[in-house]
Amino acid sequence: MQSIQIGANTLSYDEAGEGDVLLLLSGWCQDHRLFKTLAPELARSHRVIRLDWRGHGLHRDHDGDFVTDDQASDVIAFLDRMEVEKVVLVSTSHGGWANMEVTDRFGSARVPRSVVIDWIQTTPNEAFFSMIDHIQDRTNWENGRGDFFNYWIGDTDNQDIIDHVNEEMAKYSFEMWARSGREIGRAYRKWGNPMQRMAVMAEHRPITHIYSQPFEPEYAQAQLDFAAGHGWYKPNKLPGRTHFPTLEQPKVVAETIRAFVG
């Protein structure tokens, strides 16, 4: 990984391949390792950049508290410094909130398409908000986080996924997990859900959601209903069993992204 100074923070990134640029962005309390098998697949046809959020990846120190808009500003500053004139953003989980902010700020000339992966597209129920609240409670945060971990992993025996959760995500601090819960909760309370956030963009452009979880047919139908009224939105349901399709089925995810951007 290489390092770059963005404002007062040092961010880690790497790149591979040639061609149109895909910028890979993880969710909270994740980093470039989430894409260790997806990035090489995508680099066969694209220039692929993996960028870690401030306080993530190789550089866990950061300049105090920060919010989703700060993450978006970091991405914009990074792309400017790298002189990337056109890019497709590929985000996972709740990294999608910053993705949509960058997409909205840049407009379609610079971000002609966006990809979001396994990001809860509908308005969550109160049980979700309770779990979000738990990871902000210093006396209960590990139990709250454990509830998410158990659901995300499901019944998989994929060691990459198990290690990603239990060895990689688990190493992030209470402060970062609490910050993630605060920002995720704020976003859903402000926008309702990601589809409603997308609907109010100043300029629409194709966006696809690639996902495996949740499995309920009502969840898939809600996205199909939204897509019927918003032709720029395309849901792609994969047959996986976990919250981590980039690790569970990287070739399928890469093929889906290539078909979408191609």
Side-chain angles (χ1 to χ4, degrees):
M1 298 295 289
Q2 301 180 63
S3 298
I4 188 170
Q5 194 73 18
I6 301 295
N9 297 288
T10 304
L11 278 55
S12 47
Y13 76 98
D14 68 4
E15 56 183 314
E18 297 179 351
D20 293 339
V21 179
L22 302 175
L23 180 66
L24 308 187
L25 301 165
S26 72
W28 286 91
C29 300
Q30 297 176 291
D31 53 51
H32 60 276
R33 293 172 291 182
L34 178 65
F35 305 114
K36 68 179 185 180
T37 48
L38 176 64
E41 291 290 335
L42 291 172
R44 291 165 46 205
S45 55
H46 289 77
R47 179 186 174 195
V48 178
I49 303 174
R50 299 186 297 176
L51 175 66
D52 289 326
W53 305 113
R54 68 170 74 173
H56 290 66
L58 303 184
H59 302 283
R60 302 296 171 92
D61 293 336
H62 55 91
D63 184 30
D65 194 17
F66 61 93
V67 298
T68 301
D69 281 356
D70 295 321
Q71 292 179 307
S73 295
D74 287 346
V75 171
I76 290 171
F78 172 80
L79 292 170
D80 287 344
R81 286 275 299 280
M82 298 290 286
E83 299 182 344
V84 174
E85 294 301 321
K86 187 167 72 171
V87 61
V88 172
L89 304 179
V90 180
S91 62
T92 62
S93 191
H94 300 289
W97 294 111
N99 177 345
M100 291 299 99
E101 181 64 23
V102 175
T103 298
D104 203 8
R105 290 192 207 175
F106 267 160
S108 62
R110 196 160 183 190
V111 182
R113 293 170 182 259
S114 286
V115 178
V116 295
I117 299 176
D118 229 288
W119 181 23
I120 299 174
Q121 295 289 289
T122 55
T123 303
N125 57 28
E126 285 305 313
F128 174 86
F129 285 108
S130 292
M131 292 165 69
I132 286 291
D133 290 341
H134 287 163
I135 62 173
Q136 298 175 70
D137 178 358
R138 191 179 288 274
T139 65
N140 194 43
W141 74 284
E142 289 178 305
N143 290 329
R145 186 183 64 176
D147 292 338
F148 281 115
F149 281 3
N150 292 335
Y151 180 72
W152 291 341
I153 292 175
D155 57 2
T156 188
D157 59 1
N158 184 311
Q159 196 61 46
D160 282 341
I161 292 173
I162 294 170
D163 289 346
H164 175 66
V165 172
N166 294 331
E167 299 297 327
E168 296 172 12
M169 297 185 74
K171 295 292 173 62
Y172 282 90
S173 66
F174 162 72
E175 286 76 16
M176 193 63 78
W177 278 99
R179 182 177 294 111
S180 77
R182 182 195 70 195
E183 290 302 301
I184 293 165
R186 281 180 178 176
Y188 279 106
R189 290 184 173 100
K190 176 179 180 179
W191 299 107
N193 61 56
M195 294 187 294
Q196 292 176 14
R197 170 67 183 98
M198 297 170 192
V200 299
M201 281 189 176
E203 186 180 5
H204 292 120
R205 81 295 313 266
I207 299 173
T208 190
H209 178 223
I210 302 169
Y211 71 102
S212 297
Q213 289 184 350
F215 309 120
E216 291 78 9
E218 296 82 5
Y219 180 68
Q221 189 60 51
Q223 294 179 74
L224 293 172
D225 291 344
F226 182 80
H230 303 84
W232 42 266
Y233 179 79
K234 179 177 176 59
N236 270 290
K237 178 74 168 72
L238 302 185
R241 299 298 302 169
T242 76
H243 179 50
F244 308 101
T246 61
L247 291 169
E248 186 178 12
Q249 40 193 335
K251 290 185 177 180
V252 175
V253 173
E255 290 166 1
T256 304
I257 292 172
R258 266 195 290 269
F260 175 68
V261 302

